[in-house]
Each structure stands twice: as C-alpha cells, then as structure tokens.
Amino acid sequence: MGIYSTVMETVTEVTGLSPTAFFTILAMMVVVYNLVSGMFLGPEDFRQKEQKETIQVGDIAESELRAYDGSDPKKPLLIAIKGQIYDVSSSKMFYGRGGAYSMFTGRDASRALAMLSFKPEDLTGNLEGLSAEELGVLDDWESKFIEKYPVVGRLDTSLNPSENGDKVQFLDNHRNEHID
Ligand code: HEM
C-alpha cells in the first residue's frame, strides 16, 4: 500500500470524514485564518510606518509648504492648522492627489476648516473676523489633528508676509466631486 492511501485511510479513521471533505475543511480553515488575521494590525505596524515616513520640516514659509501638496509622490503630505504643520501622509485617501480634501494639502487650512468651507479664498491661515463658534470648530479640528498626525514644523509668517496665499492651482475635480 502506498503512502498516499495510508494517509487517506488514517484521515478517515481519525476524523471520520472522507479525505475530500477533510482537506476541503482544512483549506477553508487556512483561508479564514488568513482573512481574519489580515484584518488586524498591531500598534507596532503603525508606529514603524509612521517613524519611517515622518520627517521634520522645521520653520518654513507658506510658499514652501505648497511643495508638500501631493504633486511630488516622494514628499510627505503636509497641512498646517494655526501655523502648526502636520504630516497627514497616513491619510493619503483624504489628502493625496484625488482625495476629497486634497485642496487643503500644502496649505494652512485654518480658515476653511473653521468655516467648513471649500472656497478657494478661505484656504488661508488668516483667522480675521471669524466668530467664536467658528474658532471653536477650528479648535476641534486642531485637537483631532494633534491626536492623529505627527507635528513636523511651523509656518514662519515672517518669511511669508502675505497670509492670503495664491488663489490658484488647487481647484481640482475632487473638490467639485466632494461638493456634488
Ligand atoms: C458634505 C458634507 C460632508 C460629508 C458627508 C463629509 C464626510 C466625511 C467623512 C465620511 C470623513 C471620514 C471620517 C473618518 O473616517 O475619519 C470626512 C473626513 C474629513 N472631513 Fe468631511 N464631510 C463633509 C464636509 C466637510 C467639510 C465642509 C469639511 C471642511 C471644510 C470637511 C473636512 C474633513 C476633513 C479635513 C476630514 C479628514 C479628517 C482626518 O484627517 O481624519 N468635511 N468627511
């Protein structure tokens, strides 16, 4: 008797199942195990990823921040809130090219976030004339970002006297898609 039939007979004797049923169940268990274990990532996985990708940019001008708007895939995605710069690369689906919030990337998005606005003219760090309620909304965004993203620098407004920035370049399809 060959090894093959010995194995098959042993399987039937031990499990009470036909070899086909046994190996089908075994294969399904392996698939389910792989699926379920693939759903979980340990905190280590996230930490390592973040550490690898986070670089400090230090004090930079708003015009320099523009370079981190996702147009160069080798650069991290950065957004400033109240002059503090966050690396939001871990949320590429929001802030990368084609993301629903890509218009904020490479900008100080404070005014837009405070006003819940996607208007190009609100894409600035200028908080003039905002209501207490809007400033409160901005504080909530800031807390969310502090919790979620690493701080990698600050905007140096002395390098950047005009806080209004350019009003061009970021009006892409994704913004319109989001509003629709
Ligand atoms: C039309 C109504 C809106 C809908 C249905 C919507 C929906 C969403 C959803 C589903 C998320 C993902 C939440 C998560 O998984 O953490 C999100 C995230 C976000 N939303 Fe909206 N949103 C809307 C309006 C706005 C507005 C008006 C702003 C600001 C101008 C905004 C800014 C953001 C930002 C910045 C994030 C990403 C936050 C992060 O980095 O975790 N959204 N939104």
Side-chain angles (χ1 to χ4, degrees), residues 16-38:
L17 296 167
S18 75
T20 315
F22 173 76
F23 285 112
T24 307
I25 291 170
L26 193 66
M28 283 167 68
M29 283 166 73
V30 171
V31 169
V32 169
Y33 172 81
N34 280 332
L35 274 177
V36 172
S37 59

Side-chain angles (χ1 to χ4, degrees), residues 91 94-95 101 104 112-113 116-118 141 144-145 148-149 178:
S91 291
F94 293 145
Y95 305 113
Y101 300 114
F104 299 143
L113 289 172
L116 297 176
S117 161
F118 296 116
W141 282 116
K144 185 182 170 82
F145 274 61
K148 193 168 173 186
Y149 302 114
H178 184 87

Side-chain angles (χ1 to χ4, degrees), residues 53-128:
E53 289 171 2
T54 304
I55 53 151
Q56 294 292 320
V57 292
D59 288 2
I60 58 172
E62 197 169 356
S63 56
E64 291 175 90
L65 185 63
R66 298 275 200 280
Y68 299 89
D69 65 353
S71 49
D72 180 350
K74 289 194 248 33
K75 288 199 168 75
L77 302 171
L78 305 185
I79 292 185
I81 295 181
K82 293 196 207 165
Q84 183 139 278
I85 304 171
Y86 300 85
D87 184 336
V88 296
S89 306
S90 59
S91 291
K92 203 173 170 192
M93 63 288 190
F94 293 145
Y95 305 113
R97 291 249 124 166
Y101 300 114
S102 58
M103 71 293 255
F104 299 143
T105 319
R107 303 258 158 183
D108 187 319
S110 301
R111 192 176 188 86
L113 289 172
M115 297 175 71
L116 297 176
S117 161
F118 296 116
K119 285 189 194 150
E121 61 267 32
D122 295 327
L123 275 169
T124 157
N126 183 359
L127 303 182
E128 258 173 45

